[in-house]
Amino acid sequence: MGQRFFLESSPAPDATTIDLGGQEAQHLIKVMRAKLGEVVELFDGTDMEWQAEITDIRRNAATLRLLSSEVISREPSIELTLGIALPKGDRQKWVIARLVELGVQCIVPLTTDYGVAQPVEKAIDRLRRQVIEASKQCGRNKLMEITAPQSFNQFIERAEGQRWIAHPLSAPGASEHQSASSLQSTTGQTCVAIGPEGGFSINEVQLAEAQDWQALDLGSRILRIETAALAIASLVLLGK
Ligand code: SAH
């Protein structure tokens, strides 16, 4: 895999060249110190990938000649959506990048009874930048979606497919639990809700169970939000 750059807008079907601007051009010119004639890889957030040769370098933009294109999917066979009461700051950015690598399809930031405020639209735009950076590095061509924040209730009602709410056995509220191993046999569309440091409230867990969500226990130790998210994504997606 060569150096990868993200195209904010896709080339027209008959295009033979494409201009790179903005942050991606900065990366190509200032960070990579790319030279004329070098061949790099381009992707646009669909499953399309191009090989392209740098034909012109300006101060803040570059032109590339499109050499070939290919449809290459590096998506897992399972569409995993995680509803997460995201932690703050750098922890948030870190976990988003790792979830891109593991192949999560969609993140829904959750507002919950015991949670901290969820990122506003501007902060979500910055997280989307994180998604692009991680996709460049891991070779993923489709971008993981980060939706606008939803309330816990909205998420519980709207989510489709097989649905779990991660809630430790030691925390009150759930009537029965499934163990982590049940995640390994899920197929198709899968949703998991992950709570804040303060956990889900009894009300939230009962509401989810009433809507046919299964409470999921990940073992006798309490995991941080990031660890729970990565463990769940690994169980569901690795090897798929
Ligand atoms: N103090 C909280 C734990 C919060 S940990 C409580 O006792 O409920 C943050 C989130 O990670 C939890 O809401 C849950 O979704 C998930 N999590 C952490 N450890 C877990 C475990 N052992 N089993 C299931 N979910 C867990």
Side-chain angles (χ1 to χ4, degrees):
M1 189 170 67
Q3 272 299 324
R4 286 161 55 84
F5 296 90
F6 179 68
L7 299 171
E8 288 291 347
S9 42
S10 312
D14 55 351
T16 54
T17 64
I18 185 105
D19 282 344
L20 206 61
Q23 280 175 308
E24 291 301 273
Q26 294 280 326
H27 185 195
L28 182 87
I29 301 162
K30 307 255 158 66
V31 185
M32 302 309 305
R33 300 188 175 281
K35 305 271 182 308
L36 290 179
E38 266 179 51
V39 174
V40 298
E41 208 166 279
L42 305 174
F43 69 111
D44 68 348
T46 66
D47 270 337
M48 214 49 172
E49 196 175 280
W50 290 263
Q51 299 295 315
E53 181 190 345
I54 305 168
T55 54
D56 186 36
I57 298 177
R58 301 178 292 285
R59 237 172 82 82
N60 292 313
T63 302
L64 297 102
R65 188 161 62 88
L66 300 173
L67 303 173
S68 60
S69 66
E70 220 178 333
V71 176
I72 297 185
S73 173
R74 299 196 179 91
E75 296 303 298
S77 58
I78 294 178
E79 295 173 358
L80 176 62
T81 294
L82 294 180
I84 313 185
L86 285 168
K88 286 188 189 163
D90 284 349
R91 290 174 60 195
Q92 186 175 94
K93 281 167 51 181
W94 185 87
V95 74
I96 290 291
R98 304 291 85 74
L99 295 174
V100 169
E101 293 166 32
L102 287 168
V104 172
Q105 190 189 47
C106 177
I107 298 291
V108 181
L110 289 187
T111 56
T112 63
D113 288 347
Y114 301 147
V116 297
Q118 289 304 287
V120 294
E121 194 56 38
K122 223 171 159 187
I124 290 179
D125 279 345
R126 280 198 297 274
L127 288 180
R128 292 200 178 109
R129 188 65 224 167
Q130 204 70 30
V131 171
I132 291 171
E133 290 304 331
S135 304
K136 286 166 73 170
Q137 174 264 319
C138 76
R140 197 168 171 189
N141 284 336
K142 276 232 174 87
L143 295 187
M144 181 178 83
E145 184 187 0
I146 305 177
T147 70
Q150 290 181 14
S151 71
F152 178 81
N153 294 21
Q154 282 171 336
F155 182 65
I156 291 299
E157 278 160 24
R158 289 179 191 171
E160 284 174 8
Q162 294 193 59
R163 295 161 305 163
W164 280 280
I165 174 167
H167 193 63
L169 203 57
S170 56
S175 61
E176 59 176 312
H177 279 86
Q178 290 196 349
S179 68
S181 59
S182 56
L183 288 176
Q184 286 170 296
S185 50
T186 175
T187 53
Q189 238 179 324
T190 303
C191 295
V192 185
I194 299 164
E197 299 301 350
F200 286 120
S201 69
I202 293 179
N203 273 346
E204 286 171 333
V205 177
Q206 288 179 346
L207 180 90
E209 281 196 329
Q211 305 261 358
D212 290 332
W213 287 64
Q214 311 271 355
L216 175 77
D217 176 54
L218 297 170
S220 47
R221 290 163 307 283
I222 300 297
L223 309 176
R224 295 196 97 177
I225 302 165
E226 302 94 302
T227 318
L230 296 195
I232 289 166
S234 305
L235 283 165
V236 173
L237 297 173
L238 286 185
K240 307 282 170 60

